[in-house]
Amino acid sequence: MKKLIAAVLVAAMSISLAACGSKKEEEPASAPTLENQETEAEAPQPEAEEPKESEPATEDPAPSSEPAAEFTTVTEGVLTMGTNATFPPYEFYEGENIIGIDAEVAELLAEKLGLRLEIVDMDFTAIVTSVQTGKVDVGVAGMTVDEERLKNVDFTDSYATGVQVIIVPQDSQIASVDDLEGKLIGVQEGTTGHTYCSDDYGEDSVVAYNNGATAVQALQQGKVDCVVIDKQPAISFVEANEGLKILDTEYVIEDYAVAVSKENTALKDALNAALKEMIDDGTVQKILDKYIKAE
């Protein structure tokens, strides 16, 4: 009996050892391969469906971007514009109304935004602060984009190009920018002309006035040797006052844009979109041509 049991055990161990010894050779072609095939056959099905399930999610960013298009204004339904209406042809008075390039551009911008334009006349130096503190929505005053102003407000894209020029008496010995050294220069306070001349020639050589008209009056009275101011207002001042001329030399070329609060990015974006339409369809150029004579 013991021999029989021993024989059975030996046979069982032989089968077991044979199975263990052949496992590695049979793995690639036996059950594991079949199980892999079944797994591979099943796995692609959910993977193939995943893109279909995720496709709608990739097409839904539009609703989340809509809130960014919303903006606020100081007064609901009104675009309040700060300006200094002594800067023809960009802004100036005709009777009791403020008209000019900036006034017309701002009027059309307001319309495109579904707003009514309201213009507030103030000192030029107060415009950036008024925008920054929320007293007005925008500053539109032939305002140049520069690093100092960008510390306090943002600007839209440019809608016009300005050039700083030099006004002198007809009999002046000043013939170019090179002749300004040692001369007394009249400017409008807070303008880029004021900044440039102060940087180039020193504060002692610059006299700042509240507006361009007062600076030109000082020039006629001999209180200053010249006036540095934007070209288009300069043309208007020279046409209105005998004995003055504009030098052929350009002092600085710069871009005009609309000042907007840094806290109101949505308004800036909306203005840029409207401004782009007006530039692309020629509306802005028509306004410029209306006020600025072709040379």
Side-chain angles (χ1 to χ4, degrees):
M1 187 66 177
K2 290 181 180 178
K3 289 181 180 180
L4 178 59
I5 292 171
V8 171
L9 290 172
V10 170
M13 290 176 63
S14 298
I15 294 170
S16 176
L17 289 170
C20 290
S22 64
K23 188 175 180 180
K24 290 184 179 178
E25 297 176 1
E26 293 175 359
E27 262 184 348
S30 62
T33 304
L34 180 59
E35 289 174 358
N36 288 340
Q37 289 173 352
E38 289 174 352
T39 303
E40 291 171 1
E42 292 173 1
Q45 292 178 2
E47 291 177 1
E49 291 175 358
E50 282 180 1
K52 293 182 180 178
E53 294 174 358
S54 63
E55 279 175 6
T58 61
E59 296 175 359
D60 288 337
S64 64
S65 65
E66 286 179 1
E70 297 176 359
F71 56 82
T72 59
T73 55
V74 175
T75 302
E76 187 175 353
V78 177
L79 183 68
T80 307
M81 162 186 161
T83 196
N84 178 244
T86 61
F87 197 65
Y90 286 90
E91 42 268 325
F92 59 99
Y93 278 95
E94 186 174 78
E96 297 182 354
N97 300 317
I98 295 175
I99 64 170
I101 293 170
D102 286 341
E104 291 200 22
V105 168
E107 180 74 37
L108 292 177
L109 285 173
E111 287 181 12
K112 283 185 174 291
L113 270 56
L115 304 172
R116 174 176 60 83
L117 180 67
E118 181 177 299
I119 302 177
V120 181
D121 190 12
M122 60 181 67
D123 288 342
F124 187 82
T125 53
I127 296 174
V128 168
T129 302
S130 295
V131 172
Q132 186 180 17
T133 58
K135 293 181 179 179
V136 298
D137 298 305
V138 294
V140 195
M143 190 170 289
T144 305
V145 181
D146 66 19
E147 292 302 320
E148 190 61 32
R149 290 171 183 159
L150 283 170
K151 294 177 182 178
N152 302 302
V153 294
D154 283 341
F155 282 92
T156 64
D157 297 333
S158 175
Y159 61 89
T161 299
V163 179
Q164 294 280 323
V165 297
I166 304 166
I167 304 176
V168 296
Q170 289 282 0
D171 59 356
S172 175
Q173 298 300 308
I174 299 173
S176 72
V177 176
D178 297 333
D179 299 325
L180 294 185
E181 193 68 46
K183 300 295 190 296
L184 205 54
I185 306 167
V187 298
Q188 180 176 348
E189 185 179 10
T191 62
T192 50
H194 185 183
T195 301
Y196 298 146
C197 290
S198 297
D199 289 345
D200 292 344
Y201 304 104
E203 290 286 352
D204 292 342
S205 296
V206 178
V207 181
Y209 297 92
N210 287 335
N211 53 63
T214 305
V216 171
Q217 184 178 21
L219 176 62
Q220 289 180 302
Q221 294 171 349
K223 295 179 180 179
V224 293
D225 298 307
C226 65
V227 168
V228 172
I229 197 168
D230 291 65
K231 183 176 183 178
Q232 296 309 320
I235 291 173
S236 297
F237 290 139
V238 168
E239 288 178 347
N241 297 277
E242 294 183 5
L244 301 179
K245 66 179 181 180
I246 299 171
L247 298 183
D248 293 336
T249 306
E250 294 175 343
Y251 187 40
V252 177
I253 299 177
E254 49 200 4
D255 292 323
Y256 294 155
V258 179
V260 188
S261 169
K262 287 182 177 293
E263 304 300 320
N264 206 347
T265 302
L267 178 58
K268 182 184 75 170
D269 292 343
L271 288 168
N272 271 336
L275 191 57
K276 184 178 186 306
E277 291 179 6
M278 292 169 57
I279 292 173
D280 289 347
D281 66 16
T283 299
V284 171
Q285 189 59 53
K286 287 179 181 178
I287 295 172
L288 292 170
D289 292 342
K290 174 180 175 180
Y291 288 93
I292 299 176
K293 298 176 182 179
E295 297 181 357

